[in-house]
């Protein structure tokens, strides 16, 4: 049976249009994976010499054990956002003569061979080998390495429990943030020294291998909890069917002021508020707004004014870039309706433009307090806003006409690459890079004011020729209409 | 009202639709039947300019549909669930479509009142998003939305599928009245020979993309169709 499951997985992966179409994403993922492997290898090989050099009096193994707590905490948070329980298409299997427990065991077993569980090995094995070669007790180190694997698996299964519990709440990432920051705070303020406790536990286990039974027992317990969470969900009215939300209606009467684009504006606002994926663009707004704090107070960047342009474009344009690059894929689920309804393409696009325009202005206003770090920053943000409105918004709309990727609105957002294509990556860079270049050249040769003026003039040109630009963009969309319809019609 | 000339659609060398000439006059209830893969949905998609024809053209009220968008104000359709906006409530969806067709909320409310029988208290005021409705209720909402604003051409793909028996009967009545009262041209496709013969004045049978029968509905039509399909 397992053989069949594996076979299905293989076919599902290679026959999905996702794989066949987005080689670029896969290359990118492989690149990330290689990068992390290298980082962990470097850590594994470098840790011992570095610790020995910096703290010649301490035992490197004991020191590493002291840091394990932070490692696991970080691992847990990372997994929560990146790793999902490898669900298989269960529905067709339910009525076949397969034991339900077998399906659950298979799903849980498969989660163990995740990349996330192998990653630590790239650090643990070199580090352990070096320790053995440095005359540590071989049994102790082997037990320690085994223990690390068990801990990794514990984090693996703990994460799925947290995920399944928090999936039921609205702000799905709040529980994990609360749990990890709670643990961190308990430890940091030395209310309970968890890192110390964990270090002691690890130390005593490595000295007393029989104690390994405790982490193994804990792992088995977590496995069992996962099993008992999943097992009752294998019914079509269980997890396989999404829960119906209570609808909240709002008539958004204030949008009437915007004339003939009002219905689309209402639709977009509801789109953003009522679906998980676009709703997260709102939370990203907050992150974008706080982004400046990473740069402005830091004296290192004091003289790097072009860097501030980057921050300015980012702060005033974060919503624009996040939302804009998936136009019109947000509407991919009902694109056929829009295309056969009494809609002028230009109105539809104008509504998207207005939304981006409003977000840029709003973000500029909200970022005014940054003037605390100098009036220049306010000027930069203003110029960046004008540039975003005049240039970037039109570039994004234009880029959207090349969009061929459907978005399933109900999916989660962070690191969800659904709907991203090579075009999105290509379009992201110039949005941030070009304004820096446009600013830098006059800034270098003439001065700060000239750089700012260039950005404002470029943005101004875009705003003045807005109608003309929109006509051109509309033509592009009309031209690729049928291609988009057929692309959005395919499920991923 | 609708003319298709030399209309064909090929996918990778396979012809899925090939209609030499077909004219649907104004005010006709037109039924399209055929087995799976006969090209019914392809034909409707071509009428709505959702796919590009390989050859030929569709003319809707003197407007060639892939050249101009001016057919949209008087044409409405419900092909499948992708015509619904899942995150809206049915009311919001009706208001949105209404707005696109120049009707305000009050107009829509009066319009919807006549469908209370069909809705059977399961659609309006239920505080549910369209994506959470059952397939049948989604279909009801889609069909009713396609009737908003008295369109001159209404295209419905398999309107009877997924509906409960009571609604099927009510829908038949509704569609017959539509052509009588407002002189709309109604195009429907169906696998249920009984329903189409009851509702449609004219029935065209497609087989592998080709028109094989073009019948004016009479007493014998149902028998003839049954004979044709019982091979």
């Amino acid at each position: 049976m397992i053989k069949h499951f594996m076979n299905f997985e293989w076919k599902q992966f290679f026959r999905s249009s996702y794989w066949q179409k987005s080689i670029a994403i896969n290359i990118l993922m492989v690149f990330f994976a290689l990068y992390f492997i290298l980082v962990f290898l470097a850590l594994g090989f470098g840790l011992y010499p570095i610790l020995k050099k910096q703290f010649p009096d301490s035992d490197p193994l004991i020191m590493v054990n002291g840091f394990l707590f932070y490692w696991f905490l970080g691992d847990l948070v990372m997994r929560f956002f990146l790793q999902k329980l490898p669900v298989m298409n269960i529905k067709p299997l339910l009525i076949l003569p397969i034991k339900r427990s077998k399906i659950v065991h298979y799903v849980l077993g498969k989660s163990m061979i995740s990349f996330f569980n192998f990653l630590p090995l790239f650090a643990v094995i070199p580090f352990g080998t070096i320790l053995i070669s440095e005359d540590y007790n071989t049994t102790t180190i082997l037990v320690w390495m085994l223990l690390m694997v068990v801990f990794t698996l514990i984090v693996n299964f703990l994460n799925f429990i947290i995920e399944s519990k928090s999936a039921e709440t609205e702000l799905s990432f709040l529980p994990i943030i609360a749990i990890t920051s709670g643990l961190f705070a308990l430890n940091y303020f030395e209310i309970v020294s968890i890192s110390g406790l964990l270090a002691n536990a690890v130390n005593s286990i490595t000295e007393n291998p029989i104690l390994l039974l405790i982490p193994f027992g804990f792992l088995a317990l977590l496995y069992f909890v996962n099993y008992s969470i999943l097992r009752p969900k294998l019914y079509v009215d269980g997890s396989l069917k999404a829960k119906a939300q209570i609808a909240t209606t709002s008539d958004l009467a204030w949008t009437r002021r915007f004339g003939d684009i009002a219905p689309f504006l209402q639709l977009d606002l509801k789109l953003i508020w009522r679906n998980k994926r676009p709703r997260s663009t709102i939370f990203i707004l907050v992150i974008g707004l706080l982004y400046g704090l990473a740069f402005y107070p830091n004296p290192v960047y004091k003289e790097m004014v072009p860097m501030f342009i980057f921050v300015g474009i980012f702060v005033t344009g974060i919503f624009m870039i996040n939302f804009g690059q998936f136009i019109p894929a947000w509407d991919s689920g009902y694109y056929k309706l829009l295309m056969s309804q009494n809609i002028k393409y230009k109105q539809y696009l104008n509504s998207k433009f207005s939304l981006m325009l409003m977000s840029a202005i709003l973000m500029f206003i909200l970022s005014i307090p940054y003037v605390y770090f100098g009036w220049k920053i306010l000027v930069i943000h203003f110029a960046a806003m004008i540039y975003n409105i005049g240039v970037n918004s039109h570039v994004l709309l234009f880029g959207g006409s090349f969009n061929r990727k459907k978005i399933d609105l109900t999916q989660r957002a962070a690191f969800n690459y659904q709907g991203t294509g090579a075009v999105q990556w290509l379009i992201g860079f110039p949005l941030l890079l070009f304004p820096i270049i446009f600013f830098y050249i006059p800034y270098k040769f003439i001065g700060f004011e000239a750089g700012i003026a260039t950005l404002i003039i470029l943005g101004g040109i875009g705003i003045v020729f807005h109608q003309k630009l929109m006509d051109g963009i509309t033509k592009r969309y009309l031209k690729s209409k049928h291609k988009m319809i057929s692309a959005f019609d395919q499920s991923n | 009202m609708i003319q298709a000339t030399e209309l064909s659609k090929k996918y990778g060398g396979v012809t899925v639709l090939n209609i030499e000439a077909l004219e649907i006059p104004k005010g006709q209830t037109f039924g399209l039947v055929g087995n799976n893969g006969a090209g019914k949905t392809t034909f409707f998609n071509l009428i709505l300019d959702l796919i590009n024809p390989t050859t030929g053209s569709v003319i809707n009220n003197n407007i060639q549909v892939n050249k101009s968008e001016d057919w949209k104000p008087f044409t409405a359709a419900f092909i499948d669930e992708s015509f619904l906006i899942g995150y809206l409530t049915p009311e919001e969806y009706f208001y949105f479509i209404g707005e696109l067709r120049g009707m305000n909320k009050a107009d829509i409310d009066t319009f919807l009142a006549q469908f209370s029988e069909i809705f059977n208290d399961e659609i309006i005021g239920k505080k549910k998003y369209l994506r959470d409705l059952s397939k049948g209720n989604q279909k009801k909402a889609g069909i009713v939305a396609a009737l908003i604003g008295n369109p001159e051409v209404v295209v419905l793909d398999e309107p009877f599928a997924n509906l409960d028996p009571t609604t099927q009967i009510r829908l038949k009545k509704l569609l017959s009245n539509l052509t009588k009262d407002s002189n709309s041209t109604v195009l429907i496709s169906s696998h249920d020979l009984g329903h189409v013969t009851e509702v449609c004045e004219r029935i065209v049978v497609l087989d592998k993309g080709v028109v094989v029968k073009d019948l004016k509905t009479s007493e014998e039509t149902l028998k003839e169709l049954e004979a044709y399909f019982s091979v």
Side-chain angles (χ1 to χ4, degrees):
Chain A
M1 200 61 235
I2 299 290
K3 193 185 76 197
H4 285 294
F5 285 163
M6 302 273 219
N7 188 11
F8 292 158
E9 302 274 338
W10 184 258
K11 283 178 181 159
Q12 186 186 16
F13 185 66
F14 282 102
R15 290 184 182 175
S16 72
S17 54
Y18 180 71
W19 165 262
Q20 283 159 1
K21 276 182 198 155
S22 51
I23 306 286
I25 304 286
N26 287 302
I27 292 173
L28 195 86
M29 295 311 260
V30 171
F31 177 77
F32 274 132
L34 284 176
Y35 171 78
F36 278 116
I37 288 175
L38 280 178
V39 168
F40 274 72
L41 274 178
L43 187 71
F45 281 109
L47 204 54
Y48 185 82
I50 292 170
L51 287 176
K52 207 69 203 160
K53 198 173 159 215
Q54 295 287 329
F55 309 96
D57 305 328
S58 321
D59 182 343
L61 181 61
I62 305 281
M63 288 201 69
V64 167
N65 287 344
F67 279 105
L68 283 178
F69 171 68
Y70 300 102
W71 164 299
F72 294 142
L73 223 50
D75 194 18
L76 193 62
V77 175
M78 202 170 79
R79 277 167 193 271
F80 181 82
F81 287 103
L82 294 178
Q83 191 188 18
K84 276 176 217 153
L85 189 69
V87 198
M88 54 194 302
N89 198 0
I90 282 165
K91 222 170 173 177
L93 300 175
L94 288 181
I95 51 159
L96 295 177
I98 306 167
K99 283 218 169 75
R100 280 165 199 259
S101 58
K102 196 165 213 166
I103 301 175
V104 178
H105 283 307
Y106 175 74
V107 167
L108 288 175
K110 205 177 92 181
S111 78
M112 288 200 278
I113 49 172
S114 151
F115 174 71
F116 291 94
N117 296 332
F118 285 104
L119 195 56
L121 291 183
F122 288 102
V124 167
I125 291 176
F127 183 65
T129 318
I130 292 176
L131 286 181
I132 293 175
S133 72
E134 293 286 332
D135 281 344
Y136 275 77
N137 182 330
T138 313
T139 333
T140 310
I141 300 306
L142 286 179
V143 169
W144 183 81
M145 280 155 73
L146 183 62
L147 192 59
M148 289 306 108
V149 174
V150 174
F151 276 156
T152 310
L153 291 178
I154 287 177
V155 175
N156 183 56
F157 287 116
L158 192 62
N159 172 47
F160 293 137
I161 296 175
I162 298 174
E163 273 191 35
S164 73
K165 292 291 165 206
S166 57
E168 291 154 17
T169 61
E170 179 55 20
L171 293 169
S172 56
F173 52 83
L174 270 185
I176 182 88
I177 302 286
I179 291 174
T180 48
S181 49
L183 284 174
F184 185 83
L186 280 179
N187 187 55
Y188 185 81
F189 297 109
E190 288 174 353
I191 301 167
V192 185
S193 172
I194 305 171
S195 62
L197 282 174
L198 189 68
N200 288 339
V202 172
N203 290 335
S204 39
I205 292 172
T206 47
E207 283 159 22
N208 232 338
I210 190 77
L211 291 176
L212 258 179
L213 285 174
I214 299 171
F216 267 112
F218 191 54
L219 180 63
L221 178 74
L222 285 177
Y223 186 91
F224 178 73
V225 173
N226 265 297
Y227 178 84
S228 48
I229 289 175
L230 279 182
R231 181 66 177 71
K233 283 191 180 173
L234 287 190
Y235 289 90
V236 276
D237 59 350
S239 69
L240 303 180
K241 195 178 157 198
K243 252 179 251 152
Q245 279 171 284
I246 304 269
T248 47
T249 27
S250 45
D251 66 345
L252 300 168
W254 56 274
T255 54
R256 292 267 151 253
R257 258 169 262 178
F258 295 93
D260 58 355
I261 63 163
F264 300 105
L265 212 53
Q266 290 181 0
L267 195 64
D268 280 335
L269 290 172
K270 284 170 189 162
L271 166 90
I272 293 171
W273 198 244
R274 291 183 184 172
N275 295 288
K276 274 188 193 162
R277 175 93 185 268
R279 188 164 46 211
S280 64
T281 55
I282 299 179
F283 298 117
I284 290 170
L285 267 183
V286 180
I287 296 171
L289 205 54
L290 300 175
Y291 194 67
L293 286 177
F295 284 90
Y296 296 140
N298 196 333
V300 178
Y301 298 108
K302 198 91 193 153
E303 296 309 311
M304 294 168 69
V305 179
M307 200 66 210
F308 291 176
I309 297 291
F310 170 77
V311 181
I313 293 284
F314 196 80
V315 170
T316 56
I318 183 154
F319 173 81
M320 189 181 273
I321 293 169
N322 258 295
F323 180 78
Q325 63 175 322
F326 297 115
I327 296 170
W330 294 123
D331 301 311
S332 55
Y334 45 91
Y335 206 62
K336 277 198 266 180
L337 168 84
L338 295 183
M339 287 305 104
S340 63
Q341 267 302 339
N342 187 20
I343 290 173
K344 286 272 174 282
Y345 233 129
K346 204 173 162 185
Q347 280 173 21
Y348 168 76
L349 292 172
N350 256 330
S351 144
K352 306 279 181 204
F353 178 82
S354 312
L355 205 63
M356 294 199 274
L357 169 98
M358 286 188 277
S359 80
I361 296 175
L362 180 75
M363 289 301 275
F364 170 71
I365 293 170
L366 291 175
S367 73
I368 284 178
Y370 277 125
V371 74
Y372 174 77
F373 297 109
W375 63 271
K376 268 189 180 176
I377 287 176
L378 191 68
V379 176
I380 287 172
H381 279 194
F382 181 75
M385 174 190 75
I386 299 288
Y387 183 86
N388 268 331
I389 294 172
V391 182
N392 278 349
S393 60
H394 293 111
V395 173
L396 280 165
L397 282 177
F398 182 75
S401 68
F402 296 95
N403 204 321
R404 302 281 184 274
K405 293 265 190 291
K406 183 192 173 94
I407 286 185
D408 182 358
L409 286 170
T410 50
Q411 294 293 316
R412 191 157 36 152
F415 293 94
N416 179 350
Y417 290 109
Q418 194 184 32
T420 46
V423 178
Q424 268 66 45
W425 296 100
L426 286 177
I427 224 170
F429 289 110
L431 290 176
L432 295 165
L433 199 65
F434 277 113
I436 299 178
I437 297 172
F438 291 143
F439 172 81
Y440 186 71
I441 296 169
Y443 168 73
K444 191 80 189 160
F445 293 105
I446 308 170
F448 177 75
E449 288 79 4
I452 291 293
T454 313
L455 286 185
I456 293 183
I457 289 167
L458 283 172
I461 293 173
I463 295 170
V464 170
F465 288 102
H466 170 66
Q467 290 303 334
K468 275 255 165 344
L469 288 169
M470 287 309 274
D471 285 340
I473 291 168
T474 309
K475 276 207 190 94
R476 264 273 0 140
Y477 274 83
L478 279 172
K479 235 177 152 179
S480 45
K481 170 181 159 180
H482 294 103
K483 278 185 196 154
M484 280 197 239
I485 292 174
S486 90
F488 290 159
D489 222 12
Q490 293 171 4
S491 51
N492 284 326
Chain B
M1 192 78 189
I2 291 173
Q3 291 147 302
T5 29
E6 307 270 306
L7 190 67
S8 79
K9 181 71 192 174
K10 282 184 187 152
Y11 284 109
V14 182
T15 308
V16 292
L17 190 74
N18 190 5
I19 296 177
E20 296 236 329
L22 187 67
E23 183 165 358
I24 302 164
K26 191 170 169 57
Q28 190 170 62
T29 18
F30 175 87
L32 202 56
V33 289
N35 289 327
N36 291 334
K40 302 182 296 287
T41 309
T42 309
F43 182 53
F44 284 168
N45 278 336
L46 283 165
I47 291 176
L48 298 168
D49 190 35
L50 294 175
I51 53 178
N52 242 335
T54 312
T55 63
S57 61
V58 175
I59 292 168
N60 185 351
N61 201 13
N62 300 324
I63 298 153
Q64 191 176 334
V65 292
N66 57 349
K67 288 279 184 292
S68 157
E69 292 192 79
D70 293 338
W71 52 272
K72 287 182 177 176
F74 56 83
T75 309
F78 183 70
I79 303 289
D80 54 34
E81 284 82 38
S82 68
F83 276 64
L84 296 172
I85 303 176
Y87 56 85
L88 296 185
T89 63
E91 291 96 324
E92 288 172 333
Y93 179 67
F94 294 136
Y95 293 146
F96 174 69
I97 302 288
E99 199 140 9
L100 299 177
R101 301 198 161 270
M103 290 169 82
N104 63 27
K105 275 191 180 179
D107 296 340
I108 294 292
D109 287 337
T110 16
F111 171 81
L112 291 178
Q114 57 177 311
F115 296 106
S116 56
E117 253 191 345
I118 285 186
F119 287 158
N120 194 24
D121 277 340
E122 282 176 0
I123 292 178
I124 302 291
K126 281 289 138 188
K127 286 193 182 289
K128 264 188 176 180
Y129 294 127
L130 277 168
R131 61 182 173 214
D132 297 328
L133 293 181
S134 71
K135 281 262 184 298
N137 282 334
Q138 284 184 347
K139 189 140 218 166
K140 287 184 200 173
I143 292 171
V144 167
L147 303 178
I148 289 174
N150 291 324
E152 290 174 55
V153 178
V154 180
V155 181
L156 301 173
D157 195 12
E158 305 233 16
F160 299 108
N162 278 331
L163 291 184
D164 56 78
T166 312
T167 312
Q168 288 184 10
I169 291 162
R170 282 174 184 160
L171 183 64
K172 273 189 274 186
K173 208 169 72 191
L174 183 93
L175 290 174
S176 317
N177 289 341
L178 201 64
T179 35
K180 271 181 217 135
D181 300 346
S182 55
N183 206 23
S184 300
T185 314
V186 179
L187 284 71
I188 63 171
S189 73
S190 181
H191 283 305
D192 191 312
L193 301 174
H195 289 324
V196 263
T197 37
E198 260 180 76
V199 174
C200 300
E201 304 161 45
R202 176 189 176 191
I203 291 166
V204 161
V205 181
L206 280 180
D207 183 40
K208 299 198 174 103
V210 183
V211 177
V212 287
K213 272 186 193 297
D214 191 342
L215 310 166
K216 194 168 183 303
T217 315
S218 62
E219 299 282 313
E220 295 81 42
T221 312
L222 182 58
K223 281 215 174 89
E224 195 180 341
L225 286 173
E226 275 171 352
Y228 172 80
F229 281 105
S230 58
V231 207

